[in-house]
Amino acid sequence: MKKLIIFDLDGTLLNTIADLGAACNHALAQGGYPLHDFAEYPRLVGNGVNKLIERALPEDVRTEAEVLRLRPAFVEYYNLHSAVHTRPYDGITELLQALHKQGWLLAVSSNKYQQATEHLVNHYFPGLFDIVLGEREGCSRKPDPQIVEDILSSLDVDKQTDRVVYVGDSDVDMITARNADIKAIACTWGFCEQGKLQQYPHWKMVSFPRQVLDVL
């Protein structure tokens, strides 16, 4: 029987906040808007680039038109600088290698646009993932479960088995797993405060990557 673990990317596998913040600040600067301290960005991320830009803009200019105007500046910058400060969380690579050896199928489910998602996964975790899906045209963003359903379909995995698990660091991830009707492991090392994360439905909560192996 196939067994599958689906990982969120930002805040779960990789600490991407400095590079995301730099790209967003670049886009804001291009538009003539105030910049944010990187410490503010964890509360702004999680729902894709458009929502990040919208949240970063001053309230009186948070329009779809303005977001779409700034998005190209973000994407152009981020495509060139997505791996400057980004790093895997301590123990993540070892966790992935251990799961791979144990025969788990590994997938990434991200609200980051597909090009950047693929680039980062291939850069930091070459050869470890069976499928990598990000934001794509025609696919609703998390917490809509479509991306999970696409992963299950592509890998021919039956979600009715208890051998399908989702690992993420945010409320968006926990709600995505609930909407997809699969088990969720909440990890506390990411961008979401633990107190907030505990408010959302999850199967298990872990504080270190190695603990994922212990709860499976």
Side-chain angles (χ1 to χ4, degrees):
M1 183 179 295
K2 294 180 178 179
K3 49 187 184 179
L4 167 67
I5 296 189
I6 302 171
F7 287 91
D8 171 55
L9 184 62
D10 299 72
T12 301
L13 297 175
L14 297 173
N15 186 345
T16 56
I17 206 69
D19 290 330
L20 286 170
C24 195
N25 278 348
H26 173 77
L28 292 172
Q30 295 296 104
Y33 296 114
L35 310 186
H36 291 274
D37 187 277
F38 287 174
E40 298 178 56
Y41 276 103
R43 66 179 178 82
L44 303 180
V45 300
N47 295 88
V49 171
N50 287 15
K51 183 59 70 172
L52 169 58
I53 295 171
E54 177 187 320
R55 290 168 176 163
L57 282 167
E59 289 188 20
D60 60 341
V61 292
R62 290 177 182 171
T63 65
E64 181 179 5
E66 191 62 0
V67 169
L68 293 177
R69 187 177 78 86
L70 297 186
R71 180 184 167 106
F74 179 104
V75 171
E76 181 181 9
Y77 184 95
Y78 194 66
N79 284 346
L80 296 174
H81 303 92
S82 63
V84 176
H85 301 289
T86 292
R87 296 291 182 272
Y89 288 99
D90 290 344
I92 283 292
T93 301
E94 292 79 4
L95 168 63
L96 297 176
Q97 291 170 340
L99 291 169
H100 186 72
K101 289 179 181 178
Q102 291 179 9
W104 288 86
L105 294 171
L106 302 179
V108 167
S109 164
S110 179
N111 277 340
K112 189 190 299 289
Y113 59 97
Q114 183 70 24
Q115 180 183 354
T117 300
E118 288 182 353
H119 170 72
L120 288 172
V121 172
N122 291 335
H123 180 77
Y124 290 104
F125 312 114
L128 286 176
F129 281 92
D130 298 278
I131 187 170
V132 176
L133 294 185
E135 179 189 53
R136 293 153 294 137
E137 186 175 352
C139 180
S140 299
R141 290 188 295 274
K142 298 184 296 182
D144 189 288
Q146 181 182 349
I147 192 169
V148 173
E149 299 292 348
D150 288 348
I151 288 170
L152 293 168
S153 176
S154 296
L155 297 178
D156 192 26
V157 173
D158 182 2
K159 74 175 179 180
Q160 299 308 315
T161 174
D162 62 0
R163 306 297 275 174
V164 178
V165 181
Y166 188 110
V167 181
D169 74 301
S170 73
D171 53 330
V172 173
D173 295 312
M174 299 304 100
I175 297 170
T176 300
R178 182 192 64 190
N179 291 344
D181 195 25
I182 59 176
K183 291 181 177 180
I185 296 176
C187 61
T188 64
W189 57 79
F191 301 154
C192 188
E193 295 180 358
Q194 183 172 345
K196 180 180 179 181
L197 190 58
Q198 287 176 326
Q199 299 174 21
Y200 293 89
H202 58 273
W203 174 53
K204 301 287 184 179
M205 180 170 283
V206 297
S207 300
F208 306 97
R210 182 73 191 181
Q211 291 178 317
V212 173
L213 295 172
D214 298 333
V215 302
L216 291 175

